[in-house]
């Protein structure tokens, strides 16, 4: 229900009179006890409100700190990822630098070899990169990224600074298939470095899971022992002389047989073969005609005769 204008005017007049009365009392100081009493009643409520406001500011600040901390963590994680990637790249560059130094040293120590190859990402004149291997272990070969367009031909020897790898058996425009010396069908004329005893090195056919070699057809009368170094002899002209093949790990001989044979551990680690050198040109020679080293005789101890008593 709506109030009449007369009632509204009366209410307004009463409020104005009360306001004037309170103002007069406040000015004269007579309201101070009432104000103190009201403040005593409302002080806990005001303190709680102030505390809630402070806590609200703390929460807001904490949320801002958490957001800033998360942003900082993300930034640090990004920097850590970049450093990890840089570390991997540095290790790869160090490995590649070591390999290239070995290749360069081999080329400088063999100036009569005409070498060809390619780097992993850039073309280089003395390095061929392995791009494929036989997955079956039935035929042991690798595929390198140099072929007929680069002057590679079947029959060319393939090496690393550590030793003999194999020979090229087929080529394409920019690839070549290399039969490894660990394949049973491969054969290399070899010589024992210490005694000049000759034989033929082939891949071990009994266990294709290994990369061992076997030197066969060594006459029974020739000396060969564990630890002897086996080199290519150069006979036949298929491989240059003095290429390291491996080291004898076991000798097998039987008195009733004409020949003895030995197991050889290859000088090249074929499980980690990444880059090779292809010998486009070399001068064949036969090192078996070099004089056999004469062992130094060991003097026998002489017995001093015991004087007769």
């Amino acid at each position: 229900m709506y109030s009449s204008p007369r009632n509204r005017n009366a209410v307004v007049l009463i409020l104005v009179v009360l306001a004037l009365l309170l103002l007069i009392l406040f000015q004269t100081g007579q309201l101070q006890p009432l104000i103190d009493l009201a403040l005593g009643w409302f002080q806990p409520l005001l303190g709680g409100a102030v505390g809630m406001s402070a806590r609200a500011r703390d929460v807001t600040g904490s949320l801002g700190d958490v957001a800033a901390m998360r942003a900082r963590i993300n930034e640090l994680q990004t920097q850590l990822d970049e450093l990890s990637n840089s570390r991997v790249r540095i290790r790869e560059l160090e490995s590649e630098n070591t390999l290239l130094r070995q290749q360069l040293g081999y080329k400088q120590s063999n100036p009569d070899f005409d070498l060809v190859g390619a780097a992993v990402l850039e073309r280089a004149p003395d390095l061929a990169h392995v791009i494929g291997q036989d997955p079956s272990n039935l035929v042991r070969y690798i595929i390198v990224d140099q072929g007929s367009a680069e002057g590679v031909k079947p029959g060319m020897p393939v090496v690393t600074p550590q030793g003999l790898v194999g020979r090229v058996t087929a080529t394409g425009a920019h690839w070549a298939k290399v039969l490894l010396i660990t394949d049973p069908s491969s054969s290399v004329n070899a010589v024992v470095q210490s005694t000049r005893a000759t034989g033929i090195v082939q891949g071990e056919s009994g266990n294709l899971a290994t990369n061992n070699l076997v030197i066969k057809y060594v006459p029974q009368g020739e000396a060969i022992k564990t630890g002897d170094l086996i080199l290519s002899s150069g006979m036949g002209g298929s491989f240059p002389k003095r290429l390291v093949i491996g080291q004898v790990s076991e000798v097998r001989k039987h008195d009733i047989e004409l020949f003895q044979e030995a197991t050889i551990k290859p000088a090249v680690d074929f499980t980690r073969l990444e880059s090779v050198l292809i010998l486009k040109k070399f001068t064949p020679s036969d090192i078996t005609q070099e004089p056999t080293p004469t062992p130094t005789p060991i003097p026998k101890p002489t017995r001093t005769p015991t004087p007769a008593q």
Side-chain angles (χ1 to χ4, degrees):
M1 295 180 63
Y2 294 99
S3 59
S4 62
R6 182 178 298 179
N7 293 335
R8 288 198 299 271
N9 293 334
V11 171
V12 171
L13 181 60
I14 292 172
L15 292 175
V16 171
V17 172
L18 288 175
L20 291 174
L21 180 61
L22 291 173
L23 181 61
I24 292 172
L25 293 174
F26 180 76
Q27 293 292 334
T28 57
Q30 296 180 12
L31 285 179
Q32 190 62 37
L34 184 61
I35 293 173
D36 293 340
L37 181 61
L39 289 175
W41 287 346
F42 290 102
Q43 186 173 5
L45 296 177
L46 293 175
V50 171
M52 290 180 63
S53 176
R55 286 192 292 272
R57 287 195 301 270
D58 292 340
V59 170
T60 303
S62 298
L63 292 176
D65 293 341
V66 169
M69 186 177 297
R70 287 179 177 175
R72 181 59 177 168
I73 290 174
N74 291 335
E75 180 183 354
L76 292 176
Q77 185 63 45
T78 301
Q79 293 178 2
L80 180 61
D81 293 341
E82 292 177 353
L83 289 175
S84 298
N85 293 333
S86 298
R87 184 179 180 182
V88 171
R89 288 194 295 268
I90 289 173
R91 285 184 175 180
E92 287 298 314
L93 289 174
E94 288 176 349
S95 299
E96 184 178 355
N97 183 47
T98 301
L99 178 60
L100 291 175
R101 286 180 180 274
Q102 291 175 352
Q103 303 282 4
L104 180 60
Y106 186 83
K107 184 175 181 179
Q108 291 176 344
S109 61
N110 295 275
D112 54 333
F113 291 166
D114 183 8
L115 304 174
V116 67
V120 177
L121 298 177
E122 298 178 348
R123 292 200 174 275
D126 56 358
L127 182 65
H129 182 60
V130 177
I131 60 176
Q133 288 183 306
D134 175 48
S136 66
N137 276 337
L138 297 178
V139 180
R140 296 175 180 174
Y141 70 86
I142 58 174
I143 305 296
V144 296
D145 61 353
Q146 292 288 276
S148 57
E150 289 77 27
V152 178
K153 298 179 181 178
M156 289 183 173
V158 179
V159 299
T160 69
Q162 288 72 40
L164 181 60
V165 173
R167 59 185 175 86
V168 176
T169 57
T171 60
H174 299 286
W175 63 268
K177 180 179 179 180
V178 178
L179 183 70
L180 303 179
I181 60 173
T182 55
D183 188 88
S185 65
S186 173
S187 62
V188 182
N189 291 309
V191 62
V192 181
Q193 186 185 42
S194 59
T195 64
R196 310 328 263 187
T198 60
I200 295 178
V201 172
Q202 294 179 324
E204 190 175 44
S205 58
N207 186 3
L208 292 177
T210 65
N211 285 318
N212 288 333
L213 303 168
V214 178
I215 183 169
K216 301 180 179 180
Y217 309 115
V218 179
Q220 284 283 2
E222 297 287 357
I224 181 172
K225 63 183 183 301
T226 301
D228 278 343
L229 195 63
I230 307 300
L231 309 176
S232 60
S233 66
M235 294 177 61
S238 298
F239 296 95
K241 63 179 181 179
R242 294 192 183 91
L243 294 179
V244 179
I245 297 176
Q247 196 170 24
V248 174
S249 60
E250 180 187 359
V251 179
R252 296 180 296 276
K253 61 172 61 179
H254 302 282
D255 294 337
I256 61 175
E257 296 180 356
L258 295 176
F259 302 101
Q260 57 183 321
E261 64 180 35
T263 302
I264 302 172
K265 181 180 179 181
V268 175
D269 187 355
F270 291 93
T271 61
R272 292 179 172 83
L273 194 61
E274 294 183 1
S275 301
V276 296
L277 296 168
I278 301 174
L279 276 64
K280 295 176 63 178
K281 184 179 179 181
F282 64 92
T283 303
S285 60
D286 183 3
I287 64 173
T288 61
Q289 303 302 321
E290 298 177 359
T292 302
T294 303
T296 303
I298 301 175
K300 295 182 179 180
T302 57
R303 298 181 60 183
T304 305
T306 305
Q309 295 182 355

